[in-house]
Amino acid sequence: MNIAQYIKKHIDKNFNEGDLPFRTSKKSVTVGHTLCDFGEIENCIYFLIDGIAQVNIMNSKGDVRIIDFFFPENFFCSYTSLIQSTPSDVQIVATTNCELEVVENSELQLAYKNSLLANKLGRYETEKLYLKKVKREKDLLTKTREEIYLELINNKSEIIHQLPIDSIAKYLGIHPESLSRIRKKKTKSN
């Protein structure tokens, strides 16, 4: 699914796929490619057509943690950097080979000034991202890592198997050995 199809599905059923309010470009990246690095100023927003991307953050000890994954049919970028034009405090990396549709920030800002559709899309995505972040925060405060892992498996089972164990462990905030124990426990219970 590309951006135009996404808009037709989620924003405006009558949308003509040739009437995007901004220009886009296609981009293919390979696993490990950094889309936005620590300290860079983000100037694009990405729509994931295929693949998985992750958002990393570095703690005060220099350890990298994964704070989010993005799967197909999602927009993503270093939002704080994009919105504030400040150096990114996160790193965005392709976890798998990815097919992307890219919108330059200048195109997006022009569309916001001239297009109700662009504003509807922006609002929809902002609300979706906010709800995702609130859910993640609540889960981290109220659920065990095992419960979060099982939910991830249940919701993204066809995709999650593409992720390395250490990436899933970093996302959950646990050691890979702890995740192995959780996985063994799940296998025994099935």
Side-chain angles (χ1 to χ4, degrees):
M1 175 178 294
N2 63 26
I3 293 175
Q5 294 162 335
Y6 182 84
I7 289 171
K8 189 170 185 93
K9 180 178 178 181
H10 296 284
I11 308 299
D12 182 353
K13 306 272 186 253
N14 299 315
F15 175 68
N16 179 351
E17 291 187 20
D19 293 336
L20 274 177
F22 40 73
R23 290 182 300 200
T24 68
S25 60
K26 297 272 175 113
K27 183 174 186 171
S28 296
V29 298
T30 57
V31 62
H33 178 84
T34 300
L35 294 161
C36 182
D37 210 346
F38 297 113
E40 289 181 359
I41 295 178
E42 180 70 89
N43 63 2
C44 297
I45 190 162
Y46 305 96
F47 181 80
L48 193 55
I49 296 169
D50 189 41
I52 303 171
Q54 70 187 46
V55 182
N56 300 326
I57 194 162
M58 192 179 304
N59 68 18
S60 60
K61 296 177 184 176
D63 298 325
V64 174
R65 305 284 183 178
I66 298 172
I67 58 172
D68 212 346
F69 288 109
F70 285 95
F71 300 100
E73 297 184 29
N74 277 284
F75 286 93
F76 66 95
C77 70
S78 175
Y79 286 106
T80 304
S81 177
L82 184 81
I83 292 167
Q84 298 178 341
S85 294
T86 56
S88 180
D89 59 350
V90 299
Q91 177 189 58
I92 307 202
V93 177
T95 309
T96 65
N97 293 338
C98 294
E99 295 295 322
L100 306 161
E101 201 164 359
V102 182
V103 180
E104 297 286 332
N105 191 30
S106 58
E107 281 287 319
L108 184 62
Q109 296 309 313
L110 185 62
Y112 282 155
K113 290 179 184 176
N114 299 309
S115 169
L116 178 59
L117 178 65
N119 281 280
K120 284 182 181 179
L121 177 61
R123 179 178 176 179
Y124 178 82
E125 288 303 312
T126 301
E127 290 172 355
K128 188 171 97 174
L129 183 63
Y130 172 77
L131 292 172
K132 180 180 179 181
K133 295 296 181 193
V134 167
K135 182 184 181 330
R136 173 101 167 120
E137 289 172 8
K138 287 178 182 177
D139 285 353
L140 289 172
L141 292 171
T142 62
K143 294 181 179 177
T144 66
R145 298 308 183 250
E146 181 176 353
E147 290 170 326
I148 295 170
Y149 172 73
L150 292 174
E151 189 174 291
L152 190 61
I153 289 293
N154 290 334
N155 292 336
K156 300 289 182 187
S157 63
E158 73 287 352
I159 297 171
I160 203 71
H161 298 294
Q162 298 175 40
L163 297 172
I165 296 291
D166 63 322
S167 292
I168 298 170
K170 283 182 182 179
Y171 175 72
L172 295 172
I174 60 177
H175 294 288
E177 300 80 22
S178 299
L179 179 56
S180 291
R181 283 192 292 277
I182 291 171
R183 292 173 61 149
K184 284 178 188 173
K185 185 178 172 183
K186 181 188 180 308
T187 304
K188 286 181 183 177
S189 68
N190 286 342

